[in-house]
Amino acid sequence: MSIAIDPRVAAFIDSQHGLLIDGRSQPALSGAQMPVFNPATGEELTRVAAGADADIDLAVAAARRAFEGPWAAQRPADRERLLLKLADLLEAHGEELAQLETLNNGQSIHLARALEVGAAAEFTRYMAGWATKIEGKSLDLSIAAVPGARYRAYTVPEPVGVVGAIVPWNFPLLMAIWKIVPALACGCTVVLKPADETPLTALRLGQLCLDAGIAPGVVNVVTGSGAQAGAALAAHKGIDKLAFTGSTQIGKVIGHAAVDNMTRFSLELGGKSPVIVLDDCDPQAAAAGAAGAIFFNQGQVCTAGSRLYIQRAIFDQVLERLSAIAGSLSIGPGLDEQAQVNPLISAKQQKRVLDMIGQGVADGARVLCGGVAYGEQGFYVRPTVLADVHAGMQVVREEIFGPVVVATPFDDIDEVVALANDNQYGLGASIWSNDLAKVMDLIPRIKAGTVWVNTHNMLDPSMPFGGYKQSGIGREMGHAAIEAYTENKSVCIAF
Ligand code: ADP
């Protein structure tokens, strides 16, 4: 049974959805619109403005004026207070935002409440605190060029400027917050381009920033396609920093565009994260952990535990239990509080996931569970467990971004290190064991930005997050986020 839709959500969906530029909602200059779908039904939910180059020009100009004008005049304590107010508003509108996200993205309402709203508000408060704690260093220098002269230097982290933020559809509101809030804490202004599929909470967020008292132009939201609005933002000469989360393929395009303008950039990209289960584990508990690592948000998570390596002594037991769990999960719309597996984002993504499973089977993989779509409508894929895979297969090498895990046995630690690292990505990894010596041996040998032990997918605002190898460049969260949105100025004084 789906929960009743909050009347404010229905009213918002039925309203006009313009671009948010300089504090005003306005249609795209071309007048173009694009449809937004409900993944649970496949039906059109509403339409939003489809921005392009000329709209991005306006948004960047507004962000520049705000950066040099009202926002520059705010003291760090003012920025902190405004962001704390924003966190309060996120919570005050929590149910409304969560329902909107579930309708647009398809994800579980539980997840939307806990992450898109709850974790987003906590992240906002954590980052608000940094606004008043950004500090440089004082340096005693040894320059000997002029006899008798003495020098002292200090460093000043200055806001990098106007930030272009391009975010994906898997956690639309949270990803937007991850970019906007640290940027604002540092004194930057932002042009946000939400994903084509999920523009709605970004527009609501832009409005809530205004309601919090953040000056018009500090946060601008340009909805539109990646090919038009996204590409225009990435290549814009008026942007000082690009912050991107999305696929490695598009991340490379963004990186090239950034380098052409010498725009600073950070990229949080794809993953194919290994889950390593040692044979001291209780097979039941390990299977539950592995299920959570891959089926959370239908595997549409950049750190999804999509490659499962189980030590041979417990391989069959873990796989049997994992398949039983996967087969028992109830499937339904995100607004159904009982549903444990929800639709994928789009028909395109559903087809991509099913095609990759099909390729895996053609390459010799054995389907232990799932492997097919579910239902008459909506973009569902049943939780899928594949065995009899080998390292060369596409299903083992490439990111699927769906509820699909490939399982491989291993005999010893050296072997699993080689298997786990044999991939272009290096975003996350988890090790499941209570054998401390083995765990401590493994941690430094795994090439990943985050290594979890006896847990997976757990993030915290204080914990730097980002990728090794093709999983990205730079780190978000913690103090790393402050470094990402500031330039370090050295001041050298002779006396
Ligand atoms: P996914 O495959 O998960 O949709 P993408 O990397 O394609 O991931 O998309 C992530 C974000 O990048 C989205 O906001 C999308 O609109 C945007 N995007 C896609 N193509 C481009 C592009 N050529 N230039 C800039 N942004 C793009």
Side-chain angles (χ1 to χ4, degrees):
M1 267 285 284
S2 289
I3 58 171
I5 300 289
D6 185 318
R8 290 170 302 175
V9 175
F12 176 75
I13 287 174
D14 288 342
S15 66
Q16 292 290 319
H17 303 293
L19 313 172
L20 187 70
I21 298 177
D22 217 0
R24 284 184 302 276
S25 176
Q26 53 194 72
L29 288 170
S30 69
Q33 293 191 326
M34 58 197 281
V36 179
F37 294 95
N38 176 348
T41 60
E43 288 164 7
E44 189 175 308
L45 204 52
T46 186
R47 299 178 80 77
V48 296
D53 300 49
D55 306 291
I56 291 289
D57 285 345
L58 289 181
V60 173
R64 177 65 57 192
R65 283 194 302 276
F67 178 66
E68 287 167 3
W71 197 236
Q74 300 281 351
R75 299 172 309 146
D78 298 328
R79 300 200 302 267
E80 176 176 15
R81 182 177 44 78
L82 291 167
L83 291 172
L84 291 173
K85 174 77 178 154
L86 176 63
D88 290 345
L89 287 178
L90 287 170
E91 284 176 347
H93 293 269
E95 184 61 18
E96 182 194 335
L97 289 164
Q99 290 190 11
L100 188 60
E101 200 67 285
T102 292
L103 278 167
N104 187 180
N105 165 280
Q107 69 183 227
S108 160
I109 187 70
H110 299 298
L111 214 69
R113 288 171 182 149
L115 290 186
E116 307 281 3
V117 177
E122 283 193 354
F123 179 85
T124 301
R125 292 199 180 97
Y126 170 88
M127 280 295 162
W130 271 113
T132 51
K133 293 158 198 75
I134 300 171
E135 53 191 26
K137 290 182 174 145
S138 173
L139 311 165
D140 195 4
L141 307 184
S142 307
I143 298 170
V146 180
R150 292 184 57 204
Y151 302 85
R152 182 161 278 276
Y154 63 94
T155 63
V156 195
E158 296 183 340
V160 66
V162 175
V163 173
I166 301 177
V167 295
W169 46 255
N170 59 340
F171 293 102
L173 181 58
L174 185 63
M175 293 296 113
I177 293 267
W178 276 16
K179 306 279 186 269
I180 289 176
V181 171
L184 265 52
C186 292
C188 301
T189 59
V190 179
V191 176
L192 171 71
K193 210 300 279 177
D196 312 27
E197 297 84 351
T198 51
L200 297 182
T201 48
L203 291 170
R204 265 314 270 134
L205 173 62
Q207 184 59 48
L208 290 178
C209 289
L210 292 169
D211 296 349
I214 295 167
V218 174
V219 176
N220 306 276
V221 182
V222 178
T223 54
S225 72
Q228 292 214 321
L233 185 57
H236 205 288
K237 293 192 186 321
I239 293 287
D240 300 300
K241 149 98 188 177
L242 277 165
F244 174 80
T245 298
S247 63
T248 294
Q249 182 198 354
I250 300 298
K252 290 180 182 177
V253 174
I254 304 270
H256 281 291
V259 168
D260 275 348
N261 293 327
M262 233 17 110
T263 307
R264 283 79 185 106
F265 64 96
S266 50
L267 306 172
E268 199 267 277
L269 308 176
K272 189 78 177 173
S273 299
V275 173
I276 300 169
V277 180
L278 303 190
D279 62 10
D280 65 292
C281 286
D282 165 28
Q284 306 283 314
I294 183 61
F295 300 134
F296 168 61
N297 205 26
Q298 292 69 245
Q300 300 170 123
V301 180
C302 46
T303 50
S306 49
R307 290 185 291 143
L308 177 57
Y309 298 106
I310 309 166
Q311 206 157 10
R312 199 172 299 277
I314 58 169
F315 182 76
D316 290 339
Q317 286 164 282
V318 175
L319 263 199
E320 196 178 310
R321 180 69 194 134
L322 175 63
S323 302
I325 293 172
S328 71
L329 297 173
S330 59
I331 305 178
L335 287 176
D336 178 349
E337 291 181 314
Q338 309 306 320
Q340 295 162 301
V341 174
N342 312 111
L344 302 187
I345 186 70
S346 61
K348 182 177 142 203
Q349 185 65 11
Q350 183 193 37
K351 178 175 183 317
R352 186 183 131 82
V353 171
L354 292 172
D355 285 352
M356 288 190 75
I357 295 171
Q359 184 61 51
V361 172
D363 291 342
R366 182 163 52 96
V367 180
L368 295 183
C369 183
V372 291
Y374 165 87
E376 301 296 309
Q377 59 165 17
F379 311 131
Y380 298 92
V381 172
R382 287 184 183 276
T384 299
V385 181
L386 300 178
D388 296 351
V389 296
H390 60 76
M393 288 183 185
Q394 184 199 45
V395 275
V396 178
R397 306 207 72 76
E398 290 185 19
E399 183 174 48
I400 299 178
F401 227 61
V404 184
V405 63
V406 295
T408 307
F410 69 91
D411 291 302
D412 63 41
I413 298 290
D414 287 346
E415 183 189 2
V416 80
V417 167
L419 286 167
N421 289 334
D422 179 21
N423 196 270
Q424 61 173 323
Y425 295 114
L427 193 58
S430 61
I431 302 164
W432 298 75
S433 170
N434 283 314
D435 187 327
L436 187 63
K438 285 185 183 152
V439 171
M440 295 305 282
D441 175 32
L442 269 168
I443 291 170
R445 298 173 71 188
I446 300 298
K447 301 275 178 261
T450 301
V451 175
W452 288 283
V453 179
N454 294 328
T455 188
H456 196 107
N457 280 335
M458 294 299 161
L459 300 177
D460 186 273
S462 67
M463 199 171 88
F465 179 68
Y468 281 32
K469 302 195 276 186
Q470 304 262 329
S471 289
I473 292 179
R475 292 290 180 272
E476 302 191 281
M477 315 279 209
H479 187 258
I482 303 305
E483 288 166 12
Y485 293 101
T486 50
E487 285 270 22
N488 224 355
K489 176 178 281 175
S490 290
V491 180
C492 175
I493 300 172
F495 61 98

